[in-house]
Amino acid sequence: MNKYLKELVELNKYDKKLAELVPLEENIKRPLTRLETKVKSLNTKFEKLSEEVKNLILKKSKNELLISELKEKLNQIAEKTAKVKTAKEAKALALEEDLAKEQIESANEEIDKFENQVEIKKEEKEEIKKEITQLEAEIVIVQNEIQSKLDVLDQQKQVIFENRDKLIKKMDQNIYKFYEKIKKWAGNSAVSQVKKQACMGCFMKINDKTYADVIKAEEITTCPHCGRVLYIDNEETE
């Protein structure tokens, strides 16, 4: 097999091995990720409740201010009533007084409603806080449990990275850039095996001449359909 082709095949195998470790790492981290997602969701809910409590308190304050203004209005009505001279004026002030009292009663009911809602939401916040505390304790335990597995995986990755870097340093850089260019769109299938005279990257059958070139492996041959680098694994029977 051509030296450059051999290096490309080897480099691609390193990249595939690294890619294979990604789902393994995700699988190891899954219990931790699940817990962290729950905590994040609860924190979002906690913040939303805090904002709702803030808005309810603001509404309560507005009603308290309204009551204060209405009481001041009742005082003014009382002063005017003491000075009325006609029954018509007295009736108008009485209606105005009744309306103000109704508004005060309604505002007080709103205040009671807001206070109850605030208490309910504060209780919900406390429950969420307890749940977050429990989950955070679980996270610490899970982190300790998975760390040793992650350490082993990191060691494997480190070995692959080191071997990959050594290979890249001794490669012709134009060949390496050529590989990286294909890898941008083909990913880890930038170098693809040929089986039954078909490219395993695009699964298209290649012509006899190209197939003959791949078999000889005297130079780098690319798929005429997709542009991937082609090779035949000598350990497999075609």
Side-chain angles (χ1 to χ4, degrees), residues 89-147:
E89 288 177 338
K91 185 177 180 181
L93 288 170
L95 288 172
E96 197 173 343
E97 181 181 26
D98 289 342
L99 179 59
K101 287 179 178 179
E102 285 177 7
Q103 289 176 323
I104 288 173
E105 184 179 353
S106 177
N108 275 319
E109 289 175 356
E110 287 292 292
I111 288 171
D112 289 341
K113 182 181 75 175
F114 294 141
E115 285 178 345
N116 288 334
Q117 289 177 348
V118 166
E119 288 306 309
I120 291 170
K121 292 185 184 297
K122 282 183 176 180
E123 287 175 5
E124 287 181 31
K125 285 177 66 179
E126 284 303 312
E127 289 300 315
I128 289 173
K129 195 183 291 186
K130 288 177 184 177
E131 194 172 349
I132 289 173
T133 301
Q134 290 174 352
L135 287 171
E136 286 175 340
E138 285 184 49
I139 285 173
V140 173
I141 294 171
V142 171
Q143 281 176 330
N144 293 331
E145 290 175 347
I146 70 174
Q147 192 56 53

Side-chain angles (χ1 to χ4, degrees), residues 40 57 59 85-86 103 110 133 159 185 192 205 208:
K40 186 178 179 180
I57 291 173
K59 289 178 180 179
K85 296 179 180 179
T86 65
Q103 289 176 323
E110 287 292 292
T133 301
V159 171
W185 59 265
S192 179
K205 187 173 181 178
D208 292 341

Side-chain angles (χ1 to χ4, degrees), residues 14-63:
Y14 285 139
D15 286 338
K16 284 181 177 179
K17 285 178 182 179
L18 288 171
E20 287 168 1
L21 292 179
V22 173
L24 288 177
E25 185 173 359
E26 290 175 352
N27 190 50
I28 292 171
K29 288 182 176 180
R30 188 166 287 114
L32 179 61
T33 303
R34 193 181 299 119
L35 290 170
E36 288 175 338
T37 301
K38 284 183 180 179
V39 170
K40 186 178 179 180
S41 176
L42 287 170
N43 276 321
T44 300
K45 191 175 180 181
F46 186 88
E47 289 171 8
K48 185 180 178 183
L49 284 168
S50 297
E51 189 63 28
E52 289 174 354
V53 167
K54 182 180 176 181
N55 290 334
L56 288 168
I57 291 173
L58 180 62
K59 289 178 180 179
K60 177 190 170 188
S61 297
K62 287 181 178 179
N63 277 276

Side-chain angles (χ1 to χ4, degrees), residues 197 206-216 219 221 224:
Q197 204 172 329
I206 58 176
N207 58 55
D208 292 341
K209 183 183 181 305
T210 301
Y211 187 48
D213 290 338
V214 175
I215 292 172
K216 290 177 185 176
E219 57 184 41
T221 304

